[in-house]
Amino acid sequence: LVEYISSQGWNVSCLTVGRLSFIRDRDQVFLGTEDGNVVVVDVVPTKQQARPASGNPAMMQQDSVMLMHPVGAPVLQICTGTFVANYSAHTIAVLTPKVLIMYDVEGADSDTPPYLTQMYSHNLVETAFKMVPIPLQSDDYNHLLVMGIGANMSIYDGDQCVLSRVISTSLHPGPLAVCVATASIVVGSSGTVRCVKYSLLASHSVGGKKLNFDWSVAVGDAVVDIQITQNEVMPNIMTLCRRSLVALTPHGEILFCFDLQCIGLAMKSFSRGAAQYTISIVSTNTGAILVLRDNILQWTSHTPFVARFLDLCDAREAMGMLAIADSNQLFVGYLGSEPSLYRIPIAPNRSVDYVGKKQQMVEFEEQIRMYGGGGTEDSAKVVLKELKASLEASGLDNPTVS
């Protein structure tokens, strides 16, 4: 990875990439800290050093932090988007263990630095674990789905909690995602990936019959993350397990499984190209970044630290950069021009006609018997010289003839 910007000193607990409404040409990195702060880092710093004479586009970070806002509790997750009806500007949803807060960004049109103002706040029923936006085809904004540690799911629409259901009896919660094509919610827990329709979840009554999932697939390992590529052909449910990457169809069929040969920590999957293949970027516990095209490893790179969080971001002149972070530092960079995959060198193939060489050696031995004993010394030297030349031409190095 080639460094674009970097920053240190943050006790990072989550990372996401978004774009503020008043900035059109680049993304921002949103960091949540265990100290209870929301930090917004601009991908293109406001003050930059001049480019080096070598033409390397790497830039050193000088003043890239746009704002820092305290929320009073450790930040579990941050989502950016439109979460309020009849409000076109992007809002920032911050999930803490006990409270879900929605912020608006102010101060963009003045000379003062931007700051956050609270719009809505929801006290959660149980301690939160995960949050994911729910895109709605009928509306121009998204709902927010929050999962608690007891697998209680609550859906929030602006200032209202419109739904609260318990859909799983697992001992612990897990990652979740929303499939827009099938209008369903995918949950991973205890080595199993389950899917339930959004309409079935909404119509299920509290305390009624047990909720039945549409399908359930055992992936054989603990589920770390679930992401769904929203392509036009067929969405892929990319499931990152501790030691493998599993791709599922929206109907629960396994497409492929890739063995990571190490422990996976974070993943970013997206669709690209006319053939709608899936690109997956996986960070591992060995400090390696794996780039896969479907189930084929295309690229690997080592990072200066073990990346616990990763996402993609765009800048003015650099598209598709990789933002990674651990508990103490943030690094934004891009892949170099040469892959670092190790390939076994191909040995030179020298084919030898052993039958022909054996016949030739018989002929030379016959000539040595004819001229070596009773012939002249000059004739014997000629025969030995021809023998050495023939052996060298056949590919045998350092021939020895006595």
Side-chain angles (χ1 to χ4, degrees), residues 96-166:
T96 64
K98 292 296 183 180
V99 182
L100 171 64
I101 311 173
M102 300 183 188
Y103 291 99
D104 186 21
V105 182
E106 299 288 347
D109 299 331
S110 61
D111 296 334
T112 60
Y115 58 94
L116 299 181
T117 57
Q118 181 175 325
M119 300 178 66
Y120 303 110
S121 177
H122 299 277
N123 293 322
L124 304 179
V125 177
E126 64 180 10
T127 304
F129 176 78
K130 191 76 173 178
M131 172 177 62
V132 63
I134 301 180
L136 301 177
Q137 299 179 355
S138 58
D139 300 326
D140 56 353
Y141 67 100
N142 300 332
H143 290 174
L144 286 173
L145 173 64
V146 178
M147 171 187 276
I149 60 174
N152 179 49
M153 289 195 175
S154 301
I155 299 178
Y156 295 91
D157 180 6
D159 59 342
Q160 299 179 0
C161 179
V162 297
L163 181 66
S164 182
R165 296 288 187 273
V166 178

Side-chain angles (χ1 to χ4, degrees), residues 247-306:
L248 304 174
T249 66
H251 306 291
E253 301 174 355
I254 297 179
L255 291 175
F256 61 83
C257 180
F258 181 83
D259 187 10
L260 299 176
Q261 299 182 357
C262 50
I263 299 177
L265 300 179
M267 174 185 65
K268 177 64 177 180
S269 295
F270 57 95
S271 297
R272 184 64 59 86
Q276 294 294 328
Y277 55 84
T278 302
I279 299 294
S280 300
I281 305 175
V282 180
S283 66
T284 65
N285 65 325
T286 60
I289 297 292
L290 307 180
V291 181
L292 298 96
R293 174 175 174 175
D294 290 335
N295 60 339
I296 301 175
L297 180 62
Q298 297 281 0
W299 204 292
T300 180
S301 177
H302 286 275
T303 57
F305 53 85
V306 177

Side-chain angles (χ1 to χ4, degrees), residues 353-386:
D353 185 7
Y354 293 99
V355 177
K357 294 305 175 184
K358 185 177 181 180
Q359 181 63 30
Q360 190 177 17
M361 290 296 294
V362 172
E363 296 177 357
F364 281 126
E365 290 176 357
E366 182 65 24
Q367 293 181 9
I368 291 174
R369 283 194 298 268
M370 293 176 57
Y371 304 106
T376 62
E377 184 179 357
D378 294 337
S379 61
K381 291 182 178 180
V382 172
V383 174
L384 293 176
K385 184 177 181 181
E386 292 179 355

Side-chain angles (χ1 to χ4, degrees), residues 344-350:
I344 300 176
I346 301 176
N349 184 13
R350 296 189 296 182

Side-chain angles (χ1 to χ4, degrees), residues 13 65 81 398:
S13 60
V65 178
N398 300 324

